[in-house]
Amino acid sequence: MYSEKALSLLIEHFQELVSLDNLAIDSIVTKVDLIKLRKKEFLLEEGQVSRHMRFIVEGSLHVYHIDEKGKEHTTQLGIENWWINDLYSYLSQQPSKMFIQANEDTTVLQISKSNLELLYKEVPAISEFWRLKMQNAYVNLQERTFEHARFDAYSKYRAFVGQYPNIEQRFPQYMIASYLGITVEYLSYLRKKHLTDLS
């Protein structure tokens, strides 16, 4: 994908929440880097410090950590027009405990922490954009925590496919199952049950 098209997608994404004039757009464009990843390539690995905010232009990524028994736990899935990161590492500048890996060939636009700080001063609308995004992220985190504590697996699965109708076909079953906190076998059962309930 050409960088001009990628940049236009990012600008359109910003403009869903805030207004940007041509001067602001020019300032943003000079502070963004285009990254291309092959399938299975890492955007971030455990032990590295996350120093960028990352916008998915094309493709998909997943975020996971590995527990002391060597089991992989998916904590985030990301597709086009989503931001993906280890926010704890980014905000604290501590080494990440996460891996961010491309699930497909993927194109990402990233803004370094230092460049984003400059943008906050040069383009105040970007500061407003991130205030709104962080609020939404916190609300979504609260909702997911509530769902995991209160709802059964089938309710969680139905909420997942209802909220993200196009995402399930993009990722392997084991990633979806890990994200939902269930086994692959149980995910298969829930899928069949859901399809039966819809028919």
Side-chain angles (χ1 to χ4, degrees):
M1 179 174 287
Y2 295 107
S3 59
E4 292 82 2
K5 185 177 179 182
L7 288 165
S8 70
L9 288 173
L10 177 63
I11 297 303
E12 287 172 14
H13 178 76
F14 282 137
Q15 290 178 324
E16 289 173 7
L17 294 180
V18 297
S19 297
L20 298 171
D21 59 23
N22 288 335
L23 194 62
I25 291 170
D26 289 343
S27 184
I28 292 167
V29 165
T30 63
K31 294 176 177 64
V32 175
D33 295 316
L34 184 76
I35 305 293
K36 287 184 174 289
L37 301 168
R38 303 295 293 175
K39 183 177 180 179
K40 300 291 187 184
E41 193 173 351
F42 289 98
L43 185 60
L44 181 74
E45 296 187 61
E46 181 180 16
Q48 296 177 334
V49 176
S50 179
R51 303 187 191 279
H52 300 82
M53 294 301 289
R54 300 170 171 104
F55 177 75
I56 305 172
V57 175
E58 185 177 47
S60 62
L61 297 112
H62 72 121
V63 182
Y64 66 93
H65 69 274
I66 298 174
D67 66 21
E68 62 279 0
K69 296 179 181 178
K71 185 177 179 181
E72 184 178 306
H73 298 271
T74 298
T75 58
Q76 189 180 353
L77 303 169
I79 58 174
E80 290 87 359
N81 293 318
W82 292 15
W83 295 87
I84 196 161
N85 205 356
D86 176 357
L87 272 180
Y88 177 81
S89 176
Y90 177 83
L91 293 171
S92 69
Q93 290 298 281
Q94 296 297 310
S96 178
K97 297 177 182 177
M98 303 288 188
F99 296 86
I100 304 179
Q101 187 178 32
N103 178 58
E104 308 166 324
D105 288 353
T106 300
T107 302
V108 173
L109 284 173
Q110 63 179 24
I111 308 173
S112 70
K113 190 176 177 67
S114 58
N115 275 342
L116 192 54
E117 293 293 336
L118 285 174
L119 276 178
Y120 289 156
K121 297 174 184 176
E122 295 174 12
V123 186
I126 295 300
S127 181
E128 175 67 4
F129 173 87
W130 279 110
R131 183 184 70 81
L132 295 170
K133 290 297 282 188
M134 291 298 182
Q135 284 181 353
N136 291 337
Y138 182 75
V139 168
N140 289 335
L141 177 62
Q142 288 282 78
E143 287 178 348
R144 188 176 178 210
T145 302
F146 180 78
E147 285 177 4
H148 274 269
R150 293 286 302 275
F151 297 148
D152 60 27
Y154 186 46
S155 297
K156 287 188 282 189
Y157 174 76
R158 283 176 49 184
F160 174 74
V161 296
Q163 188 173 3
Y164 311 115
N166 300 316
I167 200 172
E168 194 177 9
Q169 290 72 37
R170 301 284 297 276
F171 292 90
Q173 277 196 320
Y174 80 90
M175 288 185 195
I176 302 289
S178 177
Y179 180 78
L180 294 172
I182 58 177
T183 64
V184 172
E185 293 76 17
Y186 197 44
L187 174 62
S188 180
Y189 164 77
L190 294 178
R191 276 178 164 170
K192 290 174 184 174
K193 177 175 171 55
H194 185 57
L195 290 172
T196 300
D197 289 349
L198 290 176
S199 62

